[in-house]
Amino acid sequence: MNDLCFRLAAETDLATLVRLRDDAARWMLAQGITGQWEPGQLDQDHFRRTMAGGEVWLAEADGRVAGAWELWWEDEDAWGPQPPVAGYVHRLTIARGNVQPGTGRLLLRAAEQRIAAKGRTFARLDCLAGNARLNSYYLNAGYQVVGHKADKPQPGGAPKSFTLLEKACGPAAGSR
């Protein structure tokens, strides 16, 4: 599974997105990663709303879904009001067992390229402050900690604290 193809998710992909997210949540729990995602936390309406106000991308290889991510053009809950200089990556998810190592980085790179293609200069994301493994993953992918957000509202759950991370991805990064 080497060649990934990326496409915007459609209404017909809603059940797949929910399943992918729930599978990732179950994997996290099996790894002892708690407090991040729970199975059943997000439904089709969540992804439908995200598609209406942002972008949801799917990665596919060999006819199978390899992963997905959400791309928002603003994120005031985490970052406050900001000038339009960034894209915000959310819910980066890979299909465990269906992909080769490094697939998550390829998805992240595709998100960064999409952000750059829209003329934005920063890829931003937030990561649960207590998830040291995931924070380390993003630091190793070239992101830098630029702040913290306490008590960020969560869909269907209690507010949580997050690390805010950012990576430069100017227009040159958008070309392939």
Side-chain angles (χ1 to χ4, degrees), residues 20-42:
L20 184 65
R21 180 22 169 87
D22 284 351
D23 288 349
R26 283 188 280 278
W27 178 87
M28 284 183 192
L29 293 173
Q31 299 296 307
I33 301 168
T34 59
Q36 181 97 18
W37 291 353
E38 296 290 331
Q41 196 173 30
L42 300 180

mmCIF file with all atom_site columns, all heavy atoms in Angstrom, residues 20-42:
data_model
loop_
_atom_site.group_PDB
_atom_site.id
_atom_site.type_symbol
_atom_site.label_atom_id
_atom_site.label_alt_id
_atom_site.label_comp_id
_atom_site.label_asym_id
_atom_site.label_entity_id
_atom_site.label_seq_id
_atom_site.pdbx_PDB_ins_code
_atom_site.Cartn_x
_atom_site.Cartn_y
_atom_site.Cartn_z
_atom_site.occupancy
_atom_site.B_iso_or_equiv
_atom_site.pdbx_formal_charge
_atom_site.auth_seq_id
_atom_site.auth_comp_id
_atom_site.auth_asym_id
_atom_site.auth_atom_id
_atom_site.pdbx_PDB_model_num
ATOM 1   N N   . LEU A 1 20 ? -14.082 4.644  10.904 1.00 0.00 ? 20 LEU A N   1
ATOM 2   C CA  . LEU A 1 20 ? -12.647 4.896  10.990 1.00 0.00 ? 20 LEU A CA  1
ATOM 3   C C   . LEU A 1 20 ? -12.299 5.571  12.318 1.00 0.00 ? 20 LEU A C   1
ATOM 4   O O   . LEU A 1 20 ? -11.363 5.183  13.023 1.00 0.00 ? 20 LEU A O   1
ATOM 5   C CB  . LEU A 1 20 ? -12.201 5.756  9.803  1.00 0.00 ? 20 LEU A CB  1
ATOM 6   C CG  . LEU A 1 20 ? -10.724 6.044  9.664  1.00 0.00 ? 20 LEU A CG  1
ATOM 7   C CD1 . LEU A 1 20 ? -9.946  4.769  9.385  1.00 0.00 ? 20 LEU A CD1 1
ATOM 8   C CD2 . LEU A 1 20 ? -10.504 7.043  8.519  1.00 0.00 ? 20 LEU A CD2 1
ATOM 9   N N   . ARG A 1 21 ? -13.058 6.573  12.681 1.00 0.00 ? 21 ARG A N   1
ATOM 10  C CA  . ARG A 1 21 ? -12.835 7.317  13.933 1.00 0.00 ? 21 ARG A CA  1
ATOM 11  C C   . ARG A 1 21 ? -13.052 6.407  15.142 1.00 0.00 ? 21 ARG A C   1
ATOM 12  O O   . ARG A 1 21 ? -12.261 6.397  16.088 1.00 0.00 ? 21 ARG A O   1
ATOM 13  C CB  . ARG A 1 21 ? -13.770 8.511  13.930 1.00 0.00 ? 21 ARG A CB  1
ATOM 14  C CG  . ARG A 1 21 ? -13.845 9.531  15.055 1.00 0.00 ? 21 ARG A CG  1
ATOM 15  C CD  . ARG A 1 21 ? -12.740 9.716  15.960 1.00 0.00 ? 21 ARG A CD  1
ATOM 16  N NE  . ARG A 1 21 ? -12.804 10.860 16.836 1.00 0.00 ? 21 ARG A NE  1
ATOM 17  C CZ  . ARG A 1 21 ? -13.398 10.884 18.010 1.00 0.00 ? 21 ARG A CZ  1
ATOM 18  N NH1 . ARG A 1 21 ? -14.103 9.881  18.449 1.00 0.00 ? 21 ARG A NH1 1
ATOM 19  N NH2 . ARG A 1 21 ? -13.283 11.932 18.783 1.00 0.00 ? 21 ARG A NH2 1
ATOM 20  N N   . ASP A 1 22 ? -14.131 5.612  15.120 1.00 0.00 ? 22 ASP A N   1
ATOM 21  C CA  . ASP A 1 22 ? -14.401 4.701  16.236 1.00 0.00 ? 22 ASP A CA  1
ATOM 22  C C   . ASP A 1 22 ? -13.323 3.623  16.348 1.00 0.00 ? 22 ASP A C   1
ATOM 23  O O   . ASP A 1 22 ? -12.912 3.265  17.458 1.00 0.00 ? 22 ASP A O   1
ATOM 24  C CB  . ASP A 1 22 ? -15.779 4.067  16.093 1.00 0.00 ? 22 ASP A CB  1
ATOM 25  C CG  . ASP A 1 22 ? -16.907 5.022  16.450 1.00 0.00 ? 22 ASP A CG  1
ATOM 26  O OD1 . ASP A 1 22 ? -16.642 6.127  16.981 1.00 0.00 ? 22 ASP A OD1 1
ATOM 27  O OD2 . ASP A 1 22 ? -18.071 4.665  16.185 1.00 0.00 ? 22 ASP A OD2 1
ATOM 28  N N   . ASP A 1 23 ? -12.855 3.099  15.213 1.00 0.00 ? 23 ASP A N   1
ATOM 29  C CA  . ASP A 1 23 ? -11.769 2.111  15.233 1.00 0.00 ? 23 ASP A CA  1
ATOM 30  C C   . ASP A 1 23 ? -10.505 2.711  15.849 1.00 0.00 ? 23 ASP A C   1
ATOM 31  O O   . ASP A 1 23 ? -9.807  2.057  16.628 1.00 0.00 ? 23 ASP A O   1
ATOM 32  C CB  . ASP A 1 23 ? -11.464 1.591  13.824 1.00 0.00 ? 23 ASP A CB  1
ATOM 33  C CG  . ASP A 1 23 ? -12.538 0.671  13.280 1.00 0.00 ? 23 ASP A CG  1
ATOM 34  O OD1 . ASP A 1 23 ? -13.439 0.255  14.044 1.00 0.00 ? 23 ASP A OD1 1
ATOM 35  O OD2 . ASP A 1 23 ? -12.482 0.366  12.065 1.00 0.00 ? 23 ASP A OD2 1
ATOM 36  N N   . ALA A 1 24 ? -10.208 3.968  15.495 1.00 0.00 ? 24 ALA A N   1
ATOM 37  C CA  . ALA A 1 24 ? -9.037  4.637  16.057 1.00 0.00 ? 24 ALA A CA  1
ATOM 38  C C   . ALA A 1 24 ? -9.201  4.839  17.564 1.00 0.00 ? 24 ALA A C   1
ATOM 39  O O   . ALA A 1 24 ? -8.247  4.664  18.331 1.00 0.00 ? 24 ALA A O   1
ATOM 40  C CB  . ALA A 1 24 ? -8.803  5.977  15.361 1.00 0.00 ? 24 ALA A CB  1
ATOM 41  N N   . ALA A 1 25 ? -10.402 5.181  17.992 1.00 0.00 ? 25 ALA A N   1
ATOM 42  C CA  . ALA A 1 25 ? -10.662 5.357  19.425 1.00 0.00 ? 25 ALA A CA  1
ATOM 43  C C   . ALA A 1 25 ? -10.469 4.035  20.168 1.00 0.00 ? 25 ALA A C   1
ATOM 44  O O   . ALA A 1 25 ? -9.854  4.006  21.244 1.00 0.00 ? 25 ALA A O   1
ATOM 45  C CB  . ALA A 1 25 ? -12.080 5.897  19.642 1.00 0.00 ? 25 ALA A CB  1
ATOM 46  N N   . ARG A 1 26 ? -10.956 2.935  19.596 1.00 0.00 ? 26 ARG A N   1
ATOM 47  C CA  . ARG A 1 26 ? -10.774 1.625  20.228 1.00 0.00 ? 26 ARG A CA  1
ATOM 48  C C   . ARG A 1 26 ? -9.291  1.252  20.280 1.00 0.00 ? 26 ARG A C   1
ATOM 49  O O   . ARG A 1 26 ? -8.818  0.696  21.276 1.00 0.00 ? 26 ARG A O   1
ATOM 50  C CB  . ARG A 1 26 ? -11.582 0.558  19.496 1.00 0.00 ? 26 ARG A CB  1
ATOM 51  C CG  . ARG A 1 26 ? -13.069 0.599  19.835 1.00 0.00 ? 26 ARG A CG  1
ATOM 52  C CD  . ARG A 1 26 ? -13.819 -0.579 19.251 1.00 0.00 ? 26 ARG A CD  1
ATOM 53  N NE  . ARG A 1 26 ? -14.116 -0.398 17.848 1.00 0.00 ? 26 ARG A NE  1
ATOM 54  C CZ  . ARG A 1 26 ? -15.150 0.298  17.383 1.00 0.00 ? 26 ARG A CZ  1
ATOM 55  N NH1 . ARG A 1 26 ? -15.990 0.862  18.221 1.00 0.00 ? 26 ARG A NH1 1
ATOM 56  N NH2 . ARG A 1 26 ? -15.357 0.421  16.090 1.00 0.00 ? 26 ARG A NH2 1
ATOM 57  N N   . TRP A 1 27 ? -8.543  1.567  19.215 1.00 0.00 ? 27 TRP A N   1
ATOM 58  C CA  . TRP A 1 27 ? -7.111  1.290  19.198 1.00 0.00 ? 27 TRP A CA  1
ATOM 59  C C   . TRP A 1 27 ? -6.413  2.071  20.308 1.00 0.00 ? 27 TRP A C   1
ATOM 60  O O   . TRP A 1 27 ? -5.578  1.521  21.027 1.00 0.00 ? 27 TRP A O   1
ATOM 61  C CB  . TRP A 1 27 ? -6.511  1.636  17.832 1.00 0.00 ? 27 TRP A CB  1
ATOM 62  C CG  . TRP A 1 27 ? -5.034  1.403  17.777 1.00 0.00 ? 27 TRP A CG  1
ATOM 63  C CD1 . TRP A 1 27 ? -4.406  0.233  17.470 1.00 0.00 ? 27 TRP A CD1 1
ATOM 64  C CD2 . TRP A 1 27 ? -4.006  2.358  18.060 1.00 0.00 ? 27 TRP A CD2 1
ATOM 65  N NE1 . TRP A 1 27 ? -3.046  0.404  17.548 1.00 0.00 ? 27 TRP A NE1 1
ATOM 66  C CE2 . TRP A 1 27 ? -2.777  1.694  17.910 1.00 0.00 ? 27 TRP A CE2 1
ATOM 67  C CE3 . TRP A 1 27 ? -4.003  3.702  18.420 1.00 0.00 ? 27 TRP A CE3 1
ATOM 68  C CZ2 . TRP A 1 27 ? -1.559  2.344  18.110 1.00 0.00 ? 27 TRP A CZ2 1
ATOM 69  C CZ3 . TRP A 1 27 ? -2.793  4.334  18.620 1.00 0.00 ? 27 TRP A CZ3 1
ATOM 70  C CH2 . TRP A 1 27 ? -1.584  3.658  18.462 1.00 0.00 ? 27 TRP A CH2 1
ATOM 71  N N   . MET A 1 28 ? -6.748  3.360  20.452 1.00 0.00 ? 28 MET A N   1
ATOM 72  C CA  . MET A 1 28 ? -6.140  4.175  21.510 1.00 0.00 ? 28 MET A CA  1
ATOM 73  C C   . MET A 1 28 ? -6.392  3.562  22.883 1.00 0.00 ? 28 MET A C   1
ATOM 74  O O   . MET A 1 28 ? -5.468  3.452  23.700 1.00 0.00 ? 28 MET A O   1
ATOM 75  C CB  . MET A 1 28 ? -6.698  5.596  21.486 1.00 0.00 ? 28 MET A CB  1
ATOM 76  C CG  . MET A 1 28 ? -6.162  6.467  20.408 1.00 0.00 ? 28 MET A CG  1
ATOM 77  S SD  . MET A 1 28 ? -6.878  8.127  20.610 1.00 0.00 ? 28 MET A SD  1
ATOM 78  C CE  . MET A 1 28 ? -6.408  8.858  19.072 1.00 0.00 ? 28 MET A CE  1
ATOM 79  N N   . LEU A 1 29 ? -7.619  3.180  23.136 1.00 0.00 ? 29 LEU A N   1
ATOM 80  C CA  . LEU A 1 29 ? -7.955  2.600  24.432 1.00 0.00 ? 29 LEU A CA  1
ATOM 81  C C   . LEU A 1 29 ? -7.178  1.306  24.662 1.00 0.00 ? 29 LEU A C   1
ATOM 82  O O   . LEU A 1 29 ? -6.684  1.062  25.773 1.00 0.00 ? 29 LEU A O   1
ATOM 83  C CB  . LEU A 1 29 ? -9.461  2.363  24.535 1.00 0.00 ? 29 LEU A CB  1
ATOM 84  C CG  . LEU A 1 29 ? -10.318 3.635  24.571 1.00 0.00 ? 29 LEU A CG  1
ATOM 85  C CD1 . LEU A 1 29 ? -11.801 3.280  24.497 1.00 0.00 ? 29 LEU A CD1 1
ATOM 86  C CD2 . LEU A 1 29 ? -10.014 4.471  25.806 1.00 0.00 ? 29 LEU A CD2 1
ATOM 87  N N   . ALA A 1 30 ? -7.033  0.484  23.623 1.00 0.00 ? 30 ALA A N   1
ATOM 88  C CA  . ALA A 1 30 ? -6.272  -0.767 23.738 1.00 0.00 ? 30 ALA A CA  1
ATOM 89  C C   . ALA A 1 30 ? -4.793  -0.502 24.023 1.00 0.00 ? 30 ALA A C   1
ATOM 90  O O   . ALA A 1 30 ? -4.116  -1.333 24.633 1.00 0.00 ? 30 ALA A O   1
ATOM 91  C CB  . ALA A 1 30 ? -6.424  -1.601 22.471 1.00 0.00 ? 30 ALA A CB  1
ATOM 92  N N   . GLN A 1 31 ? -4.297  0.660  23.588 1.00 0.00 ? 31 GLN A N   1
ATOM 93  C CA  . GLN A 1 31 ? -2.902  1.052  23.829 1.00 0.00 ? 31 GLN A CA  1
ATOM 94  C C   . GLN A 1 31 ? -2.724  1.746  25.179 1.00 0.00 ? 31 GLN A C   1
ATOM 95  O O   . GLN A 1 31 ? -1.623  2.173  25.506 1.00 0.00 ? 31 GLN A O   1
ATOM 96  C CB  . GLN A 1 31 ? -2.427  2.009  22.723 1.00 0.00 ? 31 GLN A CB  1
ATOM 97  C CG  . GLN A 1 31 ? -2.455  1.432  21.331 1.00 0.00 ? 31 GLN A CG  1
ATOM 98  C CD  . GLN A 1 31 ? -1.500  0.261  21.193 1.00 0.00 ? 31 GLN A CD  1
ATOM 99  O OE1 . GLN A 1 31 ? -0.333  0.367  21.502 1.00 0.00 ? 31 GLN A OE1 1
ATOM 100 N NE2 . GLN A 1 31 ? -2.017  -0.865 20.742 1.00 0.00 ? 31 GLN A NE2 1
ATOM 101 N N   . GLY A 1 32 ? -3.813  1.899  25.923 1.00 0.00 ? 32 GLY A N   1
ATOM 102 C CA  . GLY A 1 32 ? -3.742  2.576  27.209 1.00 0.00 ? 32 GLY A CA  1
ATOM 103 C C   . GLY A 1 32 ? -3.815  4.093  27.105 1.00 0.00 ? 32 GLY A C   1
ATOM 104 O O   . GLY A 1 32 ? -3.539  4.797  28.073 1.00 0.00 ? 32 GLY A O   1
ATOM 105 N N   . ILE A 1 33 ? -4.185  4.597  25.924 1.00 0.00 ? 33 ILE A N   1
ATOM 106 C CA  . ILE A 1 33 ? -4.324  6.045  25.719 1.00 0.00 ? 33 ILE A CA  1
ATOM 107 C C   . ILE A 1 33 ? -5.763  6.404  26.050 1.00 0.00 ? 33 ILE A C   1
ATOM 108 O O   . ILE A 1 33 ? -6.677  6.095  25.297 1.00 0.00 ? 33 ILE A O   1
ATOM 109 C CB  . ILE A 1 33 ? -3.973  6.432  24.268 1.00 0.00 ? 33 ILE A CB  1
ATOM 110 C CG1 . ILE A 1 33 ? -2.542  6.008  23.941 1.00 0.00 ? 33 ILE A CG1 1
ATOM 111 C CG2 . ILE A 1 33 ? -4.170  7.933  24.058 1.00 0.00 ? 33 ILE A CG2 1
ATOM 112 C CD1 . ILE A 1 33 ? -2.198  6.087  22.460 1.00 0.00 ? 33 ILE A CD1 1
ATOM 113 N N   . THR A 1 34 ? -5.955  7.021  27.190 1.00 0.00 ? 34 THR A N   1
ATOM 114 C CA  . THR A 1 34 ? -7.307  7.353  27.634 1.00 0.00 ? 34 THR A CA  1
ATOM 115 C C   . THR A 1 34 ? -7.486  8.864  27.659 1.00 0.00 ? 34 THR A C   1
ATOM 116 O O   . THR A 1 34 ? -6.523  9.616  27.687 1.00 0.00 ? 34 THR A O   1
ATOM 117 C CB  . THR A 1 34 ? -7.574  6.777  29.035 1.00 0.00 ? 34 THR A CB  1
ATOM 118 O OG1 . THR A 1 34 ? -6.617  7.326  29.943 1.00 0.00 ? 34 THR A OG1 1
ATOM 119 C CG2 . THR A 1 34 ? -7.479  5.260  29.043 1.00 0.00 ? 34 THR A CG2 1
ATOM 120 N N   . GLY A 1 35 ? -8.739  9.286  27.616 1.00 0.00 ? 35 GLY A N   1
ATOM 121 C CA  . GLY A 1 35 ? -9.054  10.706 27.710 1.00 0.00 ? 35 GLY A CA  1
ATOM 122 C C   . GLY A 1 35 ? -9.021  11.432 26.385 1.00 0.00 ? 35 GLY A C   1
ATOM 123 O O   . GLY A 1 35 ? -9.348  12.610 26.321 1.00 0.00 ? 35 GLY A O   1
ATOM 124 N N   . GLN A 1 36 ? -8.626  10.758 25.310 1.00 0.00 ? 36 GLN A N   1
ATOM 125 C CA  . GLN A 1 36 ? -8.520  11.415 24.006 1.00 0.00 ? 36 GLN A CA  1
ATOM 126 C C   . GLN A 1 36 ? -9.833  11.232 23.235 1.00 0.00 ? 36 GLN A C   1
ATOM 127 O O   . GLN A 1 36 ? -10.613 12.137 23.134 1.00 0.00 ? 36 GLN A O   1
ATOM 128 C CB  . GLN A 1 36 ? -7.342  10.837 23.226 1.00 0.00 ? 36 GLN A CB  1
ATOM 129 C CG  . GLN A 1 36 ? -7.124  11.467 21.864 1.00 0.00 ? 36 GLN A CG  1
ATOM 130 C CD  . GLN A 1 36 ? -6.079  12.565 21.855 1.00 0.00 ? 36 GLN A CD  1
ATOM 131 O OE1 . GLN A 1 36 ? -5.266  12.676 22.750 1.00 0.00 ? 36 GLN A OE1 1
ATOM 132 N NE2 . GLN A 1 36 ? -6.114  13.382 20.844 1.00 0.00 ? 36 GLN A NE2 1
ATOM 133 N N   . TRP A 1 37 ? -10.040 10.050 22.696 1.00 0.00 ? 37 TRP A N   1
ATOM 134 C CA  . TRP A 1 37 ? -11.240 9.754  21.904 1.00 0.00 ? 37 TRP A CA  1
ATOM 135 C C   . TRP A 1 37 ? -11.966 8.571  22.507 1.00 0.00 ? 37 TRP A C   1
ATOM 136 O O   . TRP A 1 37 ? -11.352 7.658  23.056 1.00 0.00 ? 37 TRP A O   1
ATOM 137 C CB  . TRP A 1 37 ? -10.865 9.400  20.471 1.00 0.00 ? 37 TRP A CB  1
ATOM 138 C CG  . TRP A 1 37 ? -10.330 10.514 19.642 1.00 0.00 ? 37 TRP A CG  1
ATOM 139 C CD1 . TRP A 1 37 ? -10.255 11.837 19.963 1.00 0.00 ? 37 TRP A CD1 1
ATOM 140 C CD2 . TRP A 1 37 ? -9.775  10.401 18.325 1.00 0.00 ? 37 TRP A CD2 1
ATOM 141 N NE1 . TRP A 1 37 ? -9.701  12.546 18.931 1.00 0.00 ? 37 TRP A NE1 1
ATOM 142 C CE2 . TRP A 1 37 ? -9.397  11.698 17.910 1.00 0.00 ? 37 TRP A CE2 1
ATOM 143 C CE3 . TRP A 1 37 ? -9.572  9.349  17.454 1.00 0.00 ? 37 TRP A CE3 1
ATOM 144 C CZ2 . TRP A 1 37 ? -8.832  11.954 16.669 1.00 0.00 ? 37 TRP A CZ2 1
ATOM 145 C CZ3 . TRP A 1 37 ? -9.011  9.597  16.220 1.00 0.00 ? 37 TRP A CZ3 1
ATOM 146 C CH2 . TRP A 1 37 ? -8.642  10.885 15.832 1.00 0.00 ? 37 TRP A CH2 1
ATOM 147 N N   . GLU A 1 38 ? -13.282 8.568  22.362 1.00 0.00 ? 38 GLU A N   1
ATOM 148 C CA  . GLU A 1 38 ? -14.119 7.462  22.805 1.00 0.00 ? 38 GLU A CA  1
ATOM 149 C C   . GLU A 1 38 ? -14.945 6.968  21.626 1.00 0.00 ? 38 GLU A C   1
ATOM 150 O O   . GLU A 1 38 ? -15.453 7.779  20.837 1.00 0.00 ? 38 GLU A O   1
ATOM 151 C CB  . GLU A 1 38 ? -15.068 7.912  23.923 1.00 0.00 ? 38 GLU A CB  1
ATOM 152 C CG  . GLU A 1 38 ? -14.382 8.347  25.199 1.00 0.00 ? 38 GLU A CG  1
ATOM 153 C CD  . GLU A 1 38 ? -13.751 7.194  25.938 1.00 0.00 ? 38 GLU A CD  1
ATOM 154 O OE1 . GLU A 1 38 ? -14.238 6.049  25.827 1.00 0.00 ? 38 GLU A OE1 1
ATOM 155 O OE2 . GLU A 1 38 ? -12.746 7.443  26.636 1.00 0.00 ? 38 GLU A OE2 1
ATOM 156 N N   . PRO A 1 39 ? -15.112 5.646  21.479 1.00 0.00 ? 39 PRO A N   1
ATOM 157 C CA  . PRO A 1 39 ? -16.003 5.138  20.427 1.00 0.00 ? 39 PRO A CA  1
ATOM 158 C C   . PRO A 1 39 ? -17.413 5.708  20.618 1.00 0.00 ? 39 PRO A C   1
ATOM 159 O O   . PRO A 1 39 ? -17.875 5.868  21.745 1.00 0.00 ? 39 PRO A O   1
ATOM 160 C CB  . PRO A 1 39 ? -15.990 3.623  20.638 1.00 0.00 ? 39 PRO A CB  1
ATOM 161 C CG  . PRO A 1 39 ? -14.723 3.351  21.395 1.00 0.00 ? 39 PRO A CG  1
ATOM 162 C CD  . PRO A 1 39 ? -14.489 4.568  22.240 1.00 0.00 ? 39 PRO A CD  1
ATOM 163 N N   . GLY A 1 40 ? -18.066 6.039  19.518 1.00 0.00 ? 40 GLY A N   1
ATOM 164 C CA  . GLY A 1 40 ? -19.424 6.563  19.571 1.00 0.00 ? 40 GLY A CA  1
ATOM 165 C C   . GLY A 1 40 ? -19.520 8.046  19.886 1.00 0.00 ? 40 GLY A C   1
ATOM 166 O O   . GLY A 1 40 ? -20.614 8.596  19.935 1.00 0.00 ? 40 GLY A O   1
ATOM 167 N N   . GLN A 1 41 ? -18.395 8.696  20.071 1.00 0.00 ? 41 GLN A N   1
ATOM 168 C CA  . GLN A 1 41 ? -18.387 10.109 20.448 1.00 0.00 ? 41 GLN A CA  1
ATOM 169 C C   . GLN A 1 41 ? -18.845 11.021 19.315 1.00 0.00 ? 41 GLN A C   1
ATOM 170 O O   . GLN A 1 41 ? -19.493 12.031 19.548 1.00 0.00 ? 41 GLN A O   1
ATOM 171 C CB  . GLN A 1 41 ? -16.972 10.470 20.883 1.00 0.00 ? 41 GLN A CB  1
ATOM 172 C CG  . GLN A 1 41 ? -16.831 11.743 21.648 1.00 0.00 ? 41 GLN A CG  1
ATOM 173 C CD  . GLN A 1 41 ? -15.405 11.887 22.165 1.00 0.00 ? 41 GLN A CD  1
ATOM 174 O OE1 . GLN A 1 41 ? -14.458 11.400 21.553 1.00 0.00 ? 41 GLN A OE1 1
ATOM 175 N NE2 . GLN A 1 41 ? -15.268 12.549 23.298 1.00 0.00 ? 41 GLN A NE2 1
ATOM 176 N N   . LEU A 1 42 ? -18.483 10.682 18.074 1.00 0.00 ? 42 LEU A N   1
ATOM 177 C CA  . LEU A 1 42 ? -18.861 11.494 16.909 1.00 0.00 ? 42 LEU A CA  1
ATOM 178 C C   . LEU A 1 42 ? -19.710 10.662 15.965 1.00 0.00 ? 42 LEU A C   1
ATOM 179 O O   . LEU A 1 42 ? -19.393 9.509  15.684 1.00 0.00 ? 42 LEU A O   1
ATOM 180 C CB  . LEU A 1 42 ? -17.612 11.997 16.168 1.00 0.00 ? 42 LEU A CB  1
ATOM 181 C CG  . LEU A 1 42 ? -16.653 12.870 16.974 1.00 0.00 ? 42 LEU A CG  1
ATOM 182 C CD1 . LEU A 1 42 ? -15.473 13.286 16.111 1.00 0.00 ? 42 LEU A CD1 1
ATOM 183 C CD2 . LEU A 1 42 ? -17.356 14.085 17.543 1.00 0.00 ? 42 LEU A CD2 1
#
